[in-house]
Every structure is written in structure tokens, then in C-alpha cells.
Amino acid sequence: SLGVVDENKVRLFIGGVPLSVNEKQIRDRFAGFPGIQVTDVYIAREVCGDLASPSKRFAYASVVAPPEEVERFVSMYTGSKWGGTVVRVEVAKEHFQGKLDKEWAQADKKAEDKAFAKSKKVEARMGQLSTEAKEMVIKAANAGKEGKDGKEKKEKKE
């Protein structure tokens, strides 16, 4: 379903990718590993002058696999040779947008929890009031709203 992230999806950093390698070749190379499904690949190359530094050739690949398979995959491919370079594979640091999304979700949840707690506190206080006092509070709150609405309407006319 849309919006649901597979809990077994892991983003891998692949350092030392040969210049001649394309996304399909990365998919093909890693597709042979049992229990690993490559979902997307991004290759980044920073060129310094005419030559690309081996330390600046890297890729990211998102894979779906159980954690133990990812661990085996990383240990098998790290240090392997590919196109004359030594490849380094590791679990990538969390993408900044993913990190922001989590932080925003936590902040929203915290605000919702705070608002809920406040509403429960108000309900508890209202429960302690007599019926007559509750009616007075509600009437005062409604009068305040009407006063605001009347003031806004008056300001719009002017």
C-alpha cells in the first residue's frame, strides 16, 4: 500500500564504484545474492579536473532483505574488487529527509499528546463543576466567540 515503508528496506552506501559502471550493472551484480532485492540505485561521481578520484565514486542502493542477509551481503562485498577498484559496502547513514520526517512526526505526536492531555484536564475540571457552573462556563465561552465574530464582522464592514 502507498506510504508504507518496508521494515526490511535498507539503504546501502557503495564506495569505490568503477567509472564505467552503470545502475543496471550494480543491480545485476547484487541481484545474484540470495535473499536480497535491489529496489533502487543512485550513482554519484564527483569529477576533479579530468580524473575522478576513486574516493569520490560512490553509489547508494536500497535493498529489501532481512537484517542478517544485509549483514552477510555487506561482509561479502566489502573489500571485493570490481573493475580494478576495491569496493566498500556499508549501511548508509540515514538520509537527511528521512531524518527530518521522523523528527517532524515526533514533534506532531508530542503536540497532539499535549493537546489531548490538556483537553482531558479541562474535562476533569468540568466534571468537578456543578451543572449550573458548567452552563455558565459554556455560556461565557460562547459569548466570547460571538463577541469575536461580531467584532470581525464589524471590522470587515469598515
Side-chain angles (χ1 to χ4, degrees):
S1 67
L2 292 175
V4 177
V5 176
D6 190 316
E7 63 210 30
N8 287 326
K9 187 172 185 175
V10 178
R11 194 165 151 256
L12 298 175
F13 170 84
I14 308 159
V17 175
L19 275 176
S20 60
V21 170
N22 61 35
E23 290 179 19
K24 183 182 181 322
Q25 290 169 313
I26 290 175
R27 284 180 192 278
D28 291 348
R29 181 172 176 108
F30 297 150
F33 194 89
I36 296 280
Q37 177 192 353
V38 179
T39 58
D40 54 77
V41 175
Y42 168 75
I43 299 174
R45 292 189 179 93
E46 294 181 19
V47 179
C48 305
D50 293 340
L51 302 171
S53 163
S55 64
K56 300 291 184 181
R57 296 186 310 235
F58 60 94
Y60 289 100
S62 294
V63 298
V64 177
E68 58 277 1
E69 291 300 321
V70 172
E71 202 173 299
R72 279 187 13 178
F73 178 84
V74 167
S75 66
M76 181 177 159
Y77 281 105
T78 295
S80 65
K81 290 199 176 212
W82 189 8
T85 65
V86 176
V87 178
R88 187 179 94 225
V89 180
E90 58 189 56
V91 174
K93 293 178 184 169
E94 186 174 16
H95 190 274
F96 78 94
Q97 187 62 54
K99 195 172 181 179
L100 280 176
D101 290 345
K102 281 183 186 175
E103 287 175 5
W104 290 338
Q106 288 172 345
D108 288 348
K109 174 85 172 102
K110 192 174 180 180
E112 287 172 10
D113 290 350
K114 191 173 180 178
F116 180 76
K118 189 174 182 179
S119 71
K120 287 297 178 190
K121 203 176 200 180
V122 168
E123 285 177 19
R125 287 183 183 154
M126 287 293 284
Q128 294 171 358
L129 297 176
S130 67
T131 305
E132 190 178 301
K134 285 181 196 175
E135 287 173 4
M136 287 175 56
V137 168
I138 292 168
K139 191 174 182 180
N142 288 337
K145 284 182 187 175
E146 288 171 8
K148 267 188 184 177
D149 292 343
K151 188 176 180 183
E152 288 172 7
K153 286 178 186 173
K154 189 177 181 181
E155 287 174 359
K156 284 181 183 176
K157 286 181 184 177
E158 293 174 1

